Amino acid sequence: FRAALSLHYQHDPLVLYVDGKRSGSVVGGRLGAHLSGAYGITDWLEVGLQFPLVLFQTGQDLSVHGLQPVTNAVSLGTSWLSVRGAPIQQSRGSVFDFALGLGLGIPLGTSETLTSNKGISLAPSVSIGRTFSRDEGDGPSEFLRVGASVHYQWRPRQPLTPTATAF
């Protein structure tokens, strides 16, 4: 079992450009938190949850472009339910570790705070890694971990205005 709380700040995460020129920040600054947890059902299968929260955000008035100002309110974002399986593991005699994952984004946020996707999102992932050991006289000792992960997130397009779409 693991649980975590992380804080982060984003500067200009959503900026409006019109005809190639910057018109302003739809969201200029955002302070957020992620509450997450995971549980290992077996030694190779894990399920997890993640709840993103917007604690504070600012934005410019871009109503001249048909955009409503972003609401500054504590808001829950698109939350994630995930499953991750690691069927190939060094601890089981394999040369490397290999895992597959899939996240399901559930749109729980609001459009006023720009914290929700307009439908279900999917996030598949693939990870591979290897731990290298060396003999320190009293048995092998782990000294280096090398790994790589590839993640992709699919989410529905969201119109900001009749002529502008956010991805």
Side-chain angles (χ1 to χ4, degrees):
F1 173 77
R2 76 186 143 125
L5 174 65
S6 59
L7 297 173
H8 60 89
Y9 177 77
Q10 297 171 300
H11 177 70
D12 282 342
L14 186 56
V15 177
L16 178 66
Y17 285 84
V18 176
D19 297 326
K21 296 179 86 176
R22 182 184 170 120
S23 292
S25 298
V26 180
V27 179
R30 180 181 271 182
L31 177 65
H34 281 85
L35 176 61
S36 58
Y39 179 74
I41 296 172
T42 68
D43 64 343
W44 63 271
L45 184 63
E46 164 186 283
V47 293
L49 291 170
Q50 184 181 97
F51 299 101
L53 293 167
V54 170
L55 304 174
F56 173 82
Q57 65 184 356
T58 62
Q60 294 177 310
D61 183 0
L62 299 172
S63 55
V64 68
H65 298 290
L67 293 170
Q68 296 298 318
V70 67
T71 301
N72 180 22
V74 174
S75 178
L76 183 63
T78 294
S79 298
W80 291 88
L81 173 62
S82 62
V83 62
R84 183 175 179 270
I88 300 173
Q89 300 176 6
Q90 273 186 270
S91 62
R92 293 177 163 191
S94 179
V95 177
F96 58 89
D97 295 324
F98 177 77
L100 296 170
L102 181 62
L104 178 68
I106 304 161
L108 298 179
T110 67
S111 58
E112 292 82 15
T113 56
L114 298 176
T115 57
S116 178
N117 294 333
K118 295 295 179 193
I120 298 295
S121 302
L122 295 174
S125 65
V126 176
S127 302
I128 189 168
R130 176 165 170 75
T131 301
F132 294 92
S133 303
R134 63 178 170 201
D135 194 347
E136 305 241 343
D138 58 347
S141 142
E142 296 177 355
F143 79 98
L144 178 66
R145 172 84 179 160
V146 178
S149 294
V150 177
H151 298 257
Y152 176 79
Q153 183 177 355
W154 177 87
R155 60 183 181 186
R157 292 181 178 208
Q158 298 187 155
L160 291 175
T161 69
T163 60
T165 300
F167 299 95

